[in-house]
Amino acid sequence: IFAALDASDARYLVVGGVAVVLHGHPRLTADLDLVIALDPANVRAAVGALQSLGYRPRAPVSLDDFADPEQRRSWIDEKGMTVLSLASPELPLTEVDLFAAEPFPFEPAYRRALIVSIGATRVTAAGFDDLVALKRVAGRPKDLADVEALEAIRRESDGDRDE
């Protein structure tokens, strides 16, 4: 998934459990949560990358419609959609959730992103403060546990720098 997104030049941020792992706290997660820059050209690039891997919406909507801001707004307002969940028969163990609205101003968060290389692939994850803020807003027990784990990693890292 990351290789396809990287090849498409789509601007995205990994959030959720995978982002927590990329920040150094190993934990299991059932999906890949992505915030993508929602300008139509970027959405088309990201969607095209995911479609190339067989990803299709679980809901009865067209993935191509995700690039239309009015359509996304309709899904949010009329159906209460927060994410569009995608599944692929080619990658059945990895569901992808695309945020229907940017949960934070994307461009500043993108500039603060954690960049991780996995082989030759560049992965962009929400930076520490953006990820922690998003997890706090979500407020579920697993999100608050992630916040505690991430803050412990930061304290440990800060302690290492003091020595």
Side-chain angles (χ1 to χ4, degrees), residues 29 44 55 77 99 132 147:
T29 184
R44 283 190 292 276
Y55 279 96
D77 293 345
F99 275 72
V132 167
V147 168

Side-chain angles (χ1 to χ4, degrees), residues 40-84:
N42 190 70
V43 173
R44 283 190 292 276
V47 162
L50 295 168
Q51 285 174 321
S52 76
L53 299 173
Y55 279 96
R56 303 290 178 262
R58 288 195 177 277
V61 299
S62 168
L63 186 52
D64 293 328
D65 287 344
F66 195 75
D68 180 351
E70 291 179 21
Q71 185 63 60
R72 281 194 319 275
R73 176 59 42 209
S74 169
W75 294 340
I76 292 165
D77 293 345
E78 296 171 17
K79 304 197 182 313
M81 180 185 288
T82 55
V83 298
L84 179 62

Side-chain angles (χ1 to χ4, degrees), residues 40-155:
N42 190 70
V43 173
R44 283 190 292 276
V47 162
L50 295 168
Q51 285 174 321
S52 76
L53 299 173
Y55 279 96
R56 303 290 178 262
R58 288 195 177 277
V61 299
S62 168
L63 186 52
D64 293 328
D65 287 344
F66 195 75
D68 180 351
E70 291 179 21
Q71 185 63 60
R72 281 194 319 275
R73 176 59 42 209
S74 169
W75 294 340
I76 292 165
D77 293 345
E78 296 171 17
K79 304 197 182 313
M81 180 185 288
T82 55
V83 298
L84 179 62
S85 294
L86 310 176
S88 170
E90 296 171 36
L91 299 168
L93 299 179
T94 307
E95 186 169 289
V96 175
D97 288 340
L98 300 177
F99 275 72
E102 295 172 355
F104 40 64
F106 184 85
E107 292 305 329
Y110 191 72
R111 288 191 296 273
R112 295 186 295 266
L114 171 69
I115 308 298
V116 177
S117 293
I118 300 176
T121 301
R122 180 179 179 259
V123 178
T124 53
F128 182 89
D129 293 332
D130 295 313
L131 180 59
V132 167
L134 188 59
K135 290 284 190 178
R136 285 188 194 286
V137 168
R140 300 170 301 185
K142 68 179 176 180
D143 294 306
L144 299 178
D146 286 341
V147 168
E148 287 182 32
L150 289 167
E151 289 176 338
I153 290 168
R154 176 171 268 179
R155 284 191 303 274

